[in-house]
């Protein structure tokens, strides 16, 4: 009878150890899932950093485009001023060296 009690106590201890091991396995699975979630969060942070860098690059490109557009406006304005200056030169009265002379007088048809 004493032997049966010892075997029963031994079996109960083994059941407790088994339950403890199952709990440890669950905890380990939970930790592995947390590690995967952490790796996923780290990947998302890297993607976010990449997106922020792209935004900075786009902002830089936008500034370059705006600067180019301003430069084109300045060039267009300079070309317009040159054209106006050219037109002002043409508007100056023409100076004839000699008065025009007709070889024959004009005749009107009647």
């Amino acid at each position: 009878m004493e032997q049966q009690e010892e075997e029963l106590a031994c079996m109960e201890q083994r059941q407790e150890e088994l339950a403890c091991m199952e709990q440890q396995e669950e905890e380990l699975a939970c930790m592995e899932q947390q590690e995967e979630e952490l790796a996923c969060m780290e990947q998302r942070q890297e993607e976010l950093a990449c997106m922020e860098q792209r935004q900075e690059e786009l902002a830089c490109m936008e500034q370059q485009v705006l600067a180019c557009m301003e430069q084109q406006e300045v060039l267009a304005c300079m070309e317009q001023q040159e054209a106006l200056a050219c037109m002002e030169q043409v508007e100056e009265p023409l100076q004839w060296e000699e008065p025009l002379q007709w070889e024959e007088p004009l005749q009107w048809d009647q």
Side-chain angles (χ1 to χ4, degrees):
M1 180 131 171
E2 203 174 300
Q3 186 179 0
Q4 288 178 344
E5 287 178 7
E6 287 178 11
E7 288 177 0
L8 184 61
C10 185
M11 286 177 65
E12 288 175 355
Q13 185 178 356
R14 287 183 184 163
Q15 281 182 335
E16 288 176 9
E17 290 173 356
L18 184 60
C20 184
M21 287 176 66
E22 287 174 354
Q23 185 177 356
Q24 287 177 347
E25 282 181 12
E26 289 176 7
E27 291 173 357
L28 182 61
C30 183
M31 288 176 64
E32 288 174 352
Q33 185 177 355
Q34 288 176 345
E35 283 180 7
E36 289 176 6
E37 290 173 357
L38 182 61
C40 185
M41 287 176 64
E42 289 173 352
Q43 185 177 355
R44 288 180 184 161
Q45 282 182 332
E46 289 175 7
E47 290 171 356
L48 182 61
C50 184
M51 288 175 67
E52 288 173 353
Q53 184 177 355
R54 287 181 185 160
Q55 281 183 328
E56 289 175 8
E57 291 171 356
L58 285 174
C60 182
M61 289 175 66
E62 185 179 359
Q63 289 291 356
Q64 290 174 344
V65 167
L66 290 175
C68 183
M69 288 173 65
E70 288 177 11
Q71 189 176 16
Q72 286 178 342
E73 288 176 7
V74 168
L75 288 173
C77 184
M78 289 174 63
E79 289 174 0
Q80 189 176 14
Q81 287 176 346
E82 288 175 4
L84 287 174
C86 184
M87 289 174 65
E88 287 174 1
Q89 286 178 352
V90 170
E91 287 178 359
E92 291 178 7
L94 296 174
Q95 301 287 329
W96 299 101
E97 295 177 8
E98 298 178 13
L100 289 177
Q101 304 220 347
W102 299 102
E103 296 178 9
E104 296 179 15
L106 291 176
Q107 296 189 1
W108 300 97
D109 292 337
Q110 295 185 356

